Amino acid sequence: MTEPRRVVLGVGGGIAAYKVCELLRLLTESGHDVQPVPTSSALHFVGTATWEALSGHSVATDVWTDVPDVPHVALGRTADLIAVAPATADLLAKAAQGRADDLLTATLLTARCPVLYAPAMHTEMWEHPATRDNVGTLRRRGGIVMDPAVGRLTGTDSGPGRMPDPSQIADLALLLLARPDALPRDMSGVRVLISAGGTREPLDPVRFLGNRSSGRQGWALAQVAAARGATVAVVAASVELPDPSGVQVTRVGTAAQLHEAMLAAASDADVVVMAAAVADFRPRDTQQHKIKKDGREPNPVVLVRNPDILTELVRDRRTGQVIVGFAAETGDADGDVMTHGRDKLARKGADLLVVNAVGAGKAFEVGTNEAVILSADGTEVDVAHGLKTQLAAAVWDVVSARLAQPAR
Ligand code: C5P
């Protein structure tokens, strides 16, 4: 865990304020000191007692409380991060204009730390040219404005405007606390395709051969790329996480489905990342009915090879496309993790290979990872043990630098 940091949690006046209690919990449970600063309208949705009880801090909405402490300056100056959720259309407008008529807006104006906005509003408000301009202004100034999620809004309507899932706001907030410069807007106009999760190869209607990949590393790559301005599509194999906001997700199950979806989408991508754990083999036959014991010895399962998607993507790539593979290695009698990694990069022909050691308690089903990013040109970037979003940010740093190079 990173050392405790100081977070100001600005809460806007939208119904999604009730979900921000969960965000507050996620941040405090990660060991951080969180000061909620609701607007007075936010208190219509969730009252002072809830914010105070969950944070352990007293809460004010205006600048006339504890005046000798000059809170509107003190909060902004001492914060390591400000997260604003829900960021309503009104709050985004005030922040873009530099208004300072309550404690939260004044704090936004005095802060010099990263500011993360998680918008929530009706689709018409999100799409209105005024909001588009305000979001553009905030992003140009270095504010990190997430895209809202698409789905059910207050009432019966549905569309873009739902607040991003609290866990995803927390993911980016924790990333910014670990690395304040992790989310520059350097990927605008870059189209990214990512595979995530682990494939499942059916044996019969109820059983499959699978692996322990949760999809969290692929999700982290998607969230970070989207926050850096990229247009992101994910093909997700058996991932049980909510869609990252602002990301197009296609859900698949088997390696064959992942193969088809990736090859169909790759020609539109500037960068392709194969983060999914793909089954190398599948059962030759899938039984129509559940396999029974019937008191006899089991039949052996005959396996056949799956296509190597990464190798095919490399073979069919278009000029300038950057292709990134992942290699989960344990090391064995034939060589250590890095030896296998270097061999694999050469064999698969990708531009970059992210090599991570896996095994007991490492990489799978946990929020952390560590890796070495190998480049085909021989350079290697060590990424120390940290959040999966930190590894994702390091991958995008290397990819961004490559895209910025003159045509190869
Ligand atoms: O050979 P290995 O499975 O270790 O290689 C890992 C890399 O290759 C990952 O990027 C993985 O997504 C990709 N892969 C693939 N198709 C397969 C097996 C792995 O694209 N059938």
Side-chain angles (χ1 to χ4, degrees), residues 195 274-276 278-280 306-310 325-327 329 344 348:
S195 71
M274 277 298 300
V278 187
D280 292 318
N306 276 328
D308 191 305
I309 306 169
L310 180 57
F326 268 70
E329 299 288 349
K344 192 164 287 181
K348 302 231 179 195

